Amino acid sequence: YGYKFDLRIYVVVLSYDPLKVYIFEEGLVRLATERYSDSPDTLGERTMHLTNYSVNKASPAFVQNRDGADGTDGAAAVADSREKEDEPRHFKWSFCELRQYMDKQGMDFNEMFDRIKDLAIKTLIAVETPIQAEWTKALEASEDEGWCAVGASGAHRSSCFEMYGFDVLVDTDLKPWLLEVNICPSLSSGSPLDKRIKTKLVADTLTLVGLRPPRAMWRRYKCGSKRPSPDTASSASADDRESEAPLPGSGTPAAVLAARAAKIARAEDPVEALAHFDELAWELVQEAQDEDMRCGGLERIHPSANCAKYVQFMGEESYANVVLRKWHEAGGGELFRPANRHILPSWVPRQICWSRT
């Protein structure tokens, strides 16, 4: 239609060690409300050069996407949108609507989205090391500042996750260009379209994360039941803390993990690499598989069976990253299928339910 637009891509990072990245299947296409011109004389036209919703919603030309609330289907509206006038029916689309429009124009939506996934992964790898360093500082905080993030009885890994809003421009060659990454993307619902997409995004993210209370916030009773007790967590006795079973590998020296990672990485056959997995490795695998089974509309894009191409961008591939890379190269979750169970150690729990959420 000749209007400038950008894409709001939602990316969820469960952890940075291992780096686990999911991308949401839906997102927002935000159009400017004035036809684009590259003339220097138009640089002051905010509604031509800025795609921000906050800017364009005040334009007289702006039309809200009712997402079917007015009796019209959004995607269908794009398909037959005022072709005689060569105008979009509304100025904020879903990815479903964008896909239909691109199909109509003979463009490959999947190719573009694959490039966006690649962009997101490389962006997060670029900040992996400094964010891990900041996380380490948090673990070294004083007892008053970060008691629930310290030690084997501290916070579970799911206590920390991020939902990012990637703003991306796409050129005529379908190459994505990163504008910025929002660490606190807006979740307000200014329209039925926003409400539908963002509600599912939040629900699927929290389901994927699988929030669990810190182990130090539970008090054990003689009857064996547990009850959250924040007021007693910091005053728990040393005996209580010692009774908490440590997480596998939680006390393993970094040098030992590095040696294990190198041994696993040297295995040319991914299936042979599984033979070098220890208890910690299988814990990582099982947790990752559980997450995949409850990811909803979120797609895991890293690690994956072809993520070896990203190793060159990492300063040093951590033990956890190596484990999950080799796991997915060997077949990933399919190895839990009955036909492949002989590949797994006998003591690894078998998956009996394959229904995804």
Side-chain angles (χ1 to χ4, degrees):
Y1 296 112
Y3 292 86
K4 183 178 180 180
F5 70 94
D6 76 345
L7 307 178
R8 166 55 61 87
I9 313 291
Y10 295 104
V11 176
V12 176
V13 178
L14 295 186
S15 71
Y16 278 92
D17 186 18
L19 180 61
K20 293 194 281 191
V21 185
Y22 287 75
I23 193 168
F24 192 49
E25 63 185 355
E26 264 291 9
L28 297 172
V29 184
R30 302 175 298 193
L31 285 77
T33 49
E34 190 173 349
R35 269 201 174 85
Y36 181 77
S37 169
D38 59 5
S39 171
D41 297 333
T42 67
L43 291 178
E45 302 295 331
R46 287 162 53 86
T47 56
M48 176 186 295
H49 295 284
L50 299 179
T51 57
N52 306 59
Y53 171 70
S54 59
V55 172
N56 286 282
K57 69 179 181 180
S59 168
F62 182 81
V63 179
Q64 189 72 269
N65 188 333
R66 300 294 298 167
D67 198 38
D70 55 359
T72 62
D73 178 70
V78 169
D80 29 288
S81 67
R82 294 194 280 182
E83 293 181 3
K84 293 182 180 179
E85 300 178 29
D86 197 24
E87 292 283 346
R89 178 160 301 186
H90 36 243
F91 289 87
K92 185 185 282 190
W93 300 357
S94 67
F95 283 0
C96 178
E97 295 170 85
L98 178 62
R99 181 189 290 273
Q100 287 204 6
Y101 176 80
M102 291 181 67
D103 287 346
K104 186 178 178 182
Q105 300 299 317
M107 295 183 285
D108 192 336
F109 177 89
N110 290 333
E111 178 184 354
M112 178 195 71
F113 206 58
D114 285 343
R115 292 175 178 177
I116 290 174
K117 295 173 187 176
D118 179 70
L119 178 148
I121 293 170
K122 289 176 178 175
T123 300
L124 294 167
I125 288 176
V127 300
E128 181 183 19
T129 299
I131 288 182
Q132 284 188 27
E134 289 300 314
W135 173 239
T136 300
K137 290 180 183 178
L139 292 178
E140 294 172 351
S142 66
E143 183 174 353
D144 291 337
E145 294 175 353
W147 62 266
C148 66
V150 180
S153 296
H156 189 270
R157 282 189 294 274
S158 65
S159 299
C160 296
F161 66 96
E162 287 284 358
M163 179 197 295
Y164 297 117
F166 279 61
D167 289 343
V168 174
L169 285 175
V170 180
D171 64 20
T172 53
D173 296 321
L174 299 185
K175 179 180 178 179
W177 297 84
L178 180 65
L179 286 176
E180 63 177 352
V181 178
N182 297 273
I183 60 173
C184 294
S186 171
L187 296 176
S188 63
S189 300
S191 70
L193 175 70
D194 287 274
K195 184 175 182 180
R196 173 175 65 84
I197 290 176
K198 295 175 183 179
T199 298
K200 189 174 190 304
L201 168 66
V202 172
D204 286 354
T205 297
L206 295 179
T207 301
L208 169 66
V209 170
L211 292 174
R212 307 177 192 180
R215 301 169 78 195
M217 297 185 70
W218 294 96
R219 180 170 55 194
R220 296 182 179 278
Y221 287 83
K222 292 182 179 179
C223 63
S225 63
K226 299 179 180 178
R227 178 179 176 181
S229 182
D231 57 321
T232 62
S234 59
S235 61
S237 67
D239 291 340
D240 290 336
R241 293 191 182 100
E242 290 176 2
S243 67
E244 294 279 2
L247 295 174
S250 58
T252 307
V256 174
L257 289 179
R260 293 178 184 174
K263 186 176 182 180
I264 295 172
R266 283 195 299 268
E268 296 183 2
D269 185 344
V271 175
E272 291 180 3
L274 303 185
H276 301 300
F277 280 18
D278 55 12
E279 183 180 357
L280 173 58
W282 287 110
E283 286 281 345
L284 290 168
V285 164
Q286 291 176 76
E287 183 176 59
Q289 177 66 3
D290 287 345
E291 290 161 352
D292 281 352
M293 294 302 295
R294 58 173 189 263
C295 63
L298 289 155
E299 175 193 355
R300 173 179 41 77
I301 58 175
H302 190 281
S304 66
N306 63 350
C307 69
K309 62 184 179 182
Y310 297 109
V311 174
Q312 61 180 314
F313 303 116
M314 297 180 174
E316 182 179 350
E317 192 178 19
S318 71
Y319 168 82
N321 280 329
V322 171
V323 165
L324 292 186
R325 173 169 67 84
K326 287 295 186 179
W327 166 251
H328 288 292
E329 288 175 352
E334 290 301 308
L335 297 183
F336 282 108
R337 297 283 182 181
N340 300 318
R341 286 179 178 175
H342 63 282
I343 299 175
L344 309 182
S346 59
W347 52 269
V348 173
R350 270 34 182 177
Q351 185 169 338
I352 59 174
C353 178
W354 292 90
S355 299
R356 291 179 178 268
T357 57

